[in-house]
Amino acid sequence: PAYAPMLYTWLALALALSPRSLSVRRRASAAQSRRCGPPVGAADVDIYGRAVLAPLEASASTAEPVVKVYSVHCSVNVAMPWSNKPQEESTGSGFTMRQQHDGQLVILTNAHCVADATYVEVRKAGDSQKHVAQVARIAHECDLATLTVSDDAFWEGVEPLEFGPMPSLQDEVSVVGYPEGGEGVSVTQGVVSRIEIQRYAHSGANLLAVQIDAAINPGNSGGPALNADGDVIGVAFQNQLDSQNIGYVIPAPIIAHYLVDDAPSDPRRPAGFPSLGIFWQALDNPQLRAYLGMEGRTGVRIRGVAPTAPAAALLRTGDVLVELDGHAIANDGSFAIGGQERLSFAHLIHLKFAHQTIGLRVLRAGEELELEVPVRPLQRLIPPTAYDEPLPYFIYAGLVFVPFVEPYLHEWGDDWQQDAPHELVQLVLSGAQSEAAEQPVLLSRVLPSPQTAGYLTLADRRVLSVNGERVLNLRQMHALVQRLQAECDHLAFEVQCVGGPAVIAIDTSTAEQEAKAILETYRIPAAASPDLCGQSEI
């Protein structure tokens, strides 16, 4: 229609004059003014006719705090741990910050940007030079990592970003980073649309996350999410598949926990986020609440306690958790943090540190009890990740044994929950430790040889016992095989199968000779990983 051009002009003018558009442009102009000096002169323009801004004095902090991270990765082959997968390269983002405990300038990024990294480089915005970086600290659970750069030239003029307060719903945010498709820094804007516990794709952990409607694309990971004052309110780390402009940010409380959490055994890794170790049932049904004698109270019913949790000595199945750390627990397991926001009570536990206690009020047999219960990070029966460290293994007469980690099932592809062996999938989804050191062992491969004939179909199964003695973990099983090798004529390995375990029998008199031939045939460097070779030779 003839009026269409005029209509489009009005729409463009209305958008340009909207309060949000004006505020965004004012902030962008202010940010540009902070980074650059005034125009040199009217005649000084770049190749596009834009006024050239004079740089500030060299002593001023003018360097862009958001950096691009270049990583070379080489992950272990979880089914054959003596070998690695092909080398891969990736890029991500990060930003400079100052550590509170020592004042050192470092770079904060996502753990998945540098997981299994063999070589890491960083580059500042507008700089053509890359600088070698080292991973100083990493926590795969919360998907955060700290990098250091030994080259002093990198830090010249760098002004670290400051952390801001926890955002509220509808607060405006800007995500800064280096998404794929270009080399320059990119800024996307949106608002906070949701704050709740989310599953972290990198580790499978359920921790607090902030959902925003600003685009977070591959390469943005590790970049800062900034509030209107330019302070960091989180770290971009993932988006929602099959959706548009739904991204997630690791919020300040999780970052703060990561920065101060220490594991005594390894300063490069935090101890992790603690757990109470309980399994609970919602009490939305009024009949169930009446049966439990809640009499107007709210809470959740404890239906089980992990045997390895410190809470196992204090809590009982059937207790009703009505209050946690001074916060009333609703029948759906949430607590109020504001007029319109609620979170799972698990977040209150995540704010604690290993071996601290948390106050509980429980209803037991109609009586209220106040308890101080220790919390600590609990290991899952099947570890969800296998990054940065070599995976142990050992081979006995052509049978390859490895510890069961969740990435083992990822070899079946994105639909591993449907395609991988059902018994193994169930262990990942619902398995729980019965004692602290428990980790299932898998028969990952049966290398063809005269001694393993007829056993090839029994690969990818859990090993239950050796000569009737239970298998607890790989190290214990390796020691068990070493002992039984010297004592018995045959070793009988029981592996899990539907309907009942299958048995693999190996003649111990020929096992050692057969093992040497197999290592030569399949070009395997050793019969066991270095950490197990120290125990004894197979």
Side-chain angles (χ1 to χ4, degrees):
Y3 57 83
M6 185 177 296
L7 177 61
Y8 295 150
T9 302
W10 290 342
L11 287 174
L13 183 61
L15 288 172
L17 296 178
S18 66
R20 184 175 186 275
S21 177
L22 289 174
S23 64
V24 167
R25 285 189 293 165
R26 289 193 190 102
R27 289 201 302 275
S29 176
Q32 181 70 14
S33 298
R34 287 195 298 269
R35 287 196 294 266
C36 305
V40 175
D44 295 315
V45 295
D46 63 15
I47 61 173
Y48 304 109
R50 300 176 300 187
V52 177
L53 299 178
L56 295 177
E57 296 298 326
S59 60
S61 297
T62 61
E64 175 66 57
V66 182
V67 303
K68 188 168 186 176
V69 180
Y70 301 81
S71 297
V72 179
H73 309 263
C74 193
S75 57
V76 67
N77 186 330
V78 291
M80 297 181 289
W82 58 87
S83 62
N84 290 329
K85 293 183 178 180
Q87 179 176 292
E88 298 180 353
E89 297 180 11
S90 68
T91 62
S93 305
F95 63 93
T96 58
M97 56 159 284
R98 189 179 299 278
Q99 295 185 140
Q100 293 296 321
H101 66 281
D102 61 3
Q104 182 184 2
L105 287 174
V106 295
I107 297 169
L108 188 65
T109 186
N110 282 144
H112 74 257
C113 292
V114 293
D116 290 321
T118 57
Y119 187 67
V120 181
E121 291 180 311
V122 295
R123 179 178 62 80
K124 295 185 289 187
D127 191 354
S128 61
Q129 183 180 359
K130 298 177 184 177
H131 299 262
V132 178
Q134 297 80 34
V135 180
R137 183 179 175 87
I138 192 166
H140 294 288
E141 181 183 19
C142 61
D143 200 1
L144 291 170
T146 304
L147 310 180
T148 58
V149 179
S150 56
D151 186 357
D152 293 337
F154 172 83
W155 299 107
E156 291 180 2
V158 170
E159 182 177 356
L161 290 175
E162 301 289 339
F163 287 95
M166 185 74 177
S168 300
L169 295 177
Q170 296 303 308
D171 280 0
E172 292 189 356
V173 294
S174 299
V175 177
V176 187
Y178 296 83
E180 293 179 354
E183 289 295 320
V185 68
S186 170
V187 181
T188 57
Q189 294 175 325
V191 298
V192 175
S193 54
R194 187 177 291 161
I195 301 174
E196 62 183 18
I197 303 293
Q198 292 283 349
R199 183 180 184 274
Y200 282 38
H202 179 62
S203 66
N206 294 300
L207 298 170
L208 186 66
V210 174
Q211 179 181 312
I212 61 177
D213 65 1
I216 297 178
N217 298 309
N220 268 126
S221 293
L226 308 176
N227 60 17
D229 296 325
D231 295 327
V232 178
I233 57 93
V235 177
F237 75 114
Q238 66 187 36
N239 58 19
Q240 185 168 313
L241 297 177
D242 303 322
S243 299
Q244 292 185 344
N245 293 344
I246 296 181
Y248 295 96
V249 170
I250 303 172
I254 302 299
I255 299 172
H257 192 285
Y258 160 78
L259 292 175
V260 300
D261 188 20
D262 285 321
S265 60
D266 187 356
R268 295 183 67 251
R269 297 180 185 272
F273 292 83
S275 170
L276 194 56
I278 64 172
F279 305 93
W280 56 275
Q281 175 186 2
L283 296 179
D284 296 316
N285 191 290
Q287 300 169 95
L288 182 55
R289 293 198 299 271
Y291 170 75
L292 295 173
M294 299 195 54
E295 298 178 352
R297 302 180 184 90
T298 62
V300 295
R301 176 181 176 271
I302 298 175
R303 58 181 179 83
V305 185
T308 58
L314 297 169
L315 298 176
R316 301 177 185 174
T317 299
D319 286 350
V320 176
L321 178 62
V322 297
E323 190 175 289
L324 186 68
D325 208 25
H327 297 269
I329 305 302
N331 294 323
D332 64 352
S334 66
F335 71 99
I337 59 171
Q340 297 180 337
E341 298 175 65
R342 302 188 69 86
L343 285 176
S344 167
F345 71 82
H347 180 59
L348 294 172
I349 304 170
H350 295 158
L351 295 177
K352 300 292 183 178
F353 293 89
H355 305 299
Q356 288 186 335
T357 61
I358 191 167
L360 276 67
R361 179 175 293 175
V362 299
L363 181 65
R364 179 180 297 169
E367 180 182 357
E368 281 196 359
L369 303 176
E370 293 190 1
L371 305 172
E372 286 290 327
V373 180
V375 295
R376 64 177 177 84
L378 297 180
Q379 300 298 319
R380 288 169 52 177
L381 178 65
I382 311 300
T385 61
Y387 298 116
D388 302 330
E389 301 291 342
L391 201 65
Y393 73 93
F394 78 89
I395 302 172
Y396 182 80
L399 307 178
V400 181
F401 300 103
V402 299
F404 189 9
V405 292
E406 186 178 318
Y408 187 93
L409 299 187
H410 297 172
E411 299 300 309
W412 275 263
D414 293 338
D415 294 328
W416 61 267
Q417 294 190 25
Q418 287 75 40
D419 298 337
H422 177 72
E423 298 85 357
L424 302 185
V425 172
Q426 288 304 309
L427 279 176
V428 170
L429 299 181
S430 57
Q433 284 185 326
S434 60
E435 53 185 292
E438 184 180 11
Q439 183 182 0
V441 175
L442 298 182
L443 173 60
S444 70
R445 292 288 185 273
V446 178
L447 303 176
S449 72
Q451 204 168 21
T452 59
Y455 297 150
L456 300 185
T457 60
L458 296 178
D460 299 319
R461 299 182 189 275
R462 180 184 183 181
V463 183
L464 302 176
S465 68
V466 183
N467 284 18
E469 297 191 38
R470 180 193 174 205
V471 171
L472 181 65
N473 55 50
L474 188 73
R475 180 171 291 275
Q476 174 262 352
M477 179 184 173
H478 182 260
L480 178 62
V481 168
Q482 294 294 320
R483 175 171 60 83
L484 296 176
Q485 164 73 19
E487 298 175 356
C488 305
D489 295 332
H490 289 82
L491 294 191
F493 300 88
E494 282 194 336
V495 296
Q496 186 177 27
C497 295
V498 175
V503 175
I504 297 175
I506 299 294
D507 187 339
T508 57
S509 63
T510 59
E512 184 174 353
Q513 182 178 356
E514 185 69 21
K516 292 180 179 179
I518 285 177
L519 294 181
E520 293 179 1
T521 300
Y522 292 95
R523 301 181 181 89
I524 301 173
S529 54
D531 59 322
L532 295 181
C533 282
Q535 291 180 265
S536 59
E537 294 296 330
I538 288 183

